[in-house]
Amino acid sequence: MREHAEIVIVGAGVIGCSIAYFLAKKGYSDIIVIDKGGISSGITGICPGGVRQQWGTEINCLMSKAATQFYERINEELEPEHEIMFRQVGYLYLFHSEQAAQYYQPSLHLQNSLGIPTRMINPEEARAIVPGVNTDTFLSASFCPTDGFADDAYHVTNSFAAAAKRLGVRFILDEVPQILVEKDRVAGVQTGRGRIDCKVVVNAAGLGSKELAATIGVDIPIEPEVRRILYTNRIEERILEPLLISFEKGFAAKQLTDGTIYLSYLGSDMKPPYNSFNYQMKAAEVGMELFPPLAQVEFRTHVDGTYDSTPDHQAILGGVDEVAGYYQAIGMSGHGFMMAPAIGETIADTIIGNTSAIDITPLHLNRFRQNALIPEPRVV
């Protein structure tokens, strides 16, 4: 069977569905999205849905600010079947030493210069935001009140897909295809069900992106990076409204809309493959030190997810020099969901030839070839 499309997107996670939606919204609806498991079947489906603007590089601050503005109006934009709850309850970073607080200052100034309302606060101000936090464990904190979370990433992704479908986009199930190239230009993709002729292919395949790029001889520096999230029983009382993070202690925790608390330990002394008992005990130990009310919760389950990480923990966005018509939105390094609306629109503009609101040139694949990496210091 031979099909035709103007654009083929490989990957129906939140990035691929966002790109499809924005392309269709801008008038390019002859699009096929391919995914081997279906919409939001991969890592997106278990994403906890955090959306923060407290980053250490300008490109990430701009992306996350634009994405936050989209999430604020997401229900009007996508008209989902059920309301998407985007809760702007903030992110609270704890600093346990003067050195850590000083190290954060350039990030704070950068965020403020771009209109992101992050501010430094003292322990008592932090306790007013999170009453249960142990103020004896830290010297200062940063707080951005417009950060937040949409804790149903599966619903968000399917809402992008549904909006794209209403505009004519087609979705099909298939394995990672092979890209077909003629005279250094994309000519189509070969799938298990046959050939699809197209002029543009977008690689948004997440952990499968390296395999897809290899079909046209493009080597991309992406490696899997495992993260584990623990989930507790549901707590009726709202005890941890913002997301609480300590980079020094390697800890993050948040209470979801349904009352469940999720938490993670990121210390260098605990690396995958994890020993479940040791991991849970370490997370509980650090968690109770910073936030004593965690002593009353019960750990019920855990979920392991995998980042598609790059050496500088930054996405790879844009085309490649070798093949015209081939574009990449990959290597999200754990922050794809929170930036998905901005990445989707920016990649759509790049494909169409519009001037995008955010310059993604610094995130081109060539930065690795030119040793021009942009290390992101605020990866969780």
Side-chain angles (χ1 to χ4, degrees), residues 133-332:
V133 72
N134 183 358
T135 55
D136 294 334
T137 63
F138 63 99
L139 301 178
S140 60
S142 71
F143 181 66
C144 180
T146 55
D147 289 346
F149 71 102
D151 63 7
D152 191 346
Y154 180 86
H155 179 37
V156 170
T157 305
N158 275 272
S159 297
F160 268 116
K165 287 178 183 178
R166 291 195 297 269
L167 294 170
V169 176
R170 292 170 284 165
F171 287 75
I172 64 174
L173 292 172
D174 214 314
E175 296 296 319
V176 174
Q178 178 180 358
I179 303 173
L180 305 175
V181 176
E182 296 175 2
K183 298 180 180 178
D184 297 325
R185 293 194 61 88
V186 166
V189 294
Q190 184 66 45
T191 75
R193 52 191 277 165
R195 173 171 172 153
I196 303 174
D197 293 319
C198 63
K199 296 181 179 179
V200 172
V201 170
V202 183
N203 184 349
L207 292 168
S209 59
K210 193 167 187 172
E211 177 186 353
L212 180 63
T215 67
I216 55 171
V218 174
D219 181 39
I220 53 177
I222 287 178
E223 296 297 333
E225 189 174 357
V226 176
R227 289 286 196 275
R228 171 166 288 184
I229 296 177
L230 298 170
Y231 289 90
T232 74
N233 58 311
R234 294 183 180 182
I235 309 296
E236 186 172 342
E237 181 186 358
R238 301 301 302 178
I239 63 173
L240 187 55
E241 207 60 271
L243 197 146
L244 183 69
I245 294 177
S246 168
F247 283 105
E248 292 162 276
K249 300 284 187 177
F251 181 80
K254 173 78 192 77
Q255 188 171 16
L256 301 177
T257 300
D258 68 358
T260 300
I261 294 175
Y262 78 78
L263 60 154
S264 184
Y265 178 70
L266 307 171
S268 59
D269 59 331
M270 194 70 64
K271 294 292 185 183
Y274 300 116
N275 176 293
S276 293
F277 178 80
N278 291 344
Y279 184 92
Q280 179 175 310
M281 290 301 100
K282 186 65 176 181
E285 174 191 339
V286 177
M288 286 187 291
E289 175 191 358
L290 301 178
F291 187 67
L294 285 178
Q296 61 187 276
V297 306
E298 301 172 12
F299 294 112
R300 292 290 176 85
T301 187
H302 72 262
V303 174
D304 285 350
T306 307
Y307 289 178
D308 52 334
S309 294
T310 63
D312 57 3
H313 286 95
Q314 298 275 25
I316 302 172
L317 305 178
V320 298
D321 296 338
E322 296 91 331
V323 179
Y326 170 72
Y327 297 88
Q328 302 185 127
I330 56 179
M332 297 301 154

Side-chain angles (χ1 to χ4, degrees), residues 79-98:
E79 299 181 351
E81 181 180 2
H82 306 292
E83 182 182 6
I84 294 169
M85 297 297 295
F86 177 52
R87 297 167 56 88
Q88 288 181 283
V89 293
Y91 270 53
L92 182 70
Y93 287 177
L94 304 182
F95 302 113
H96 308 275
S97 66
E98 291 291 350

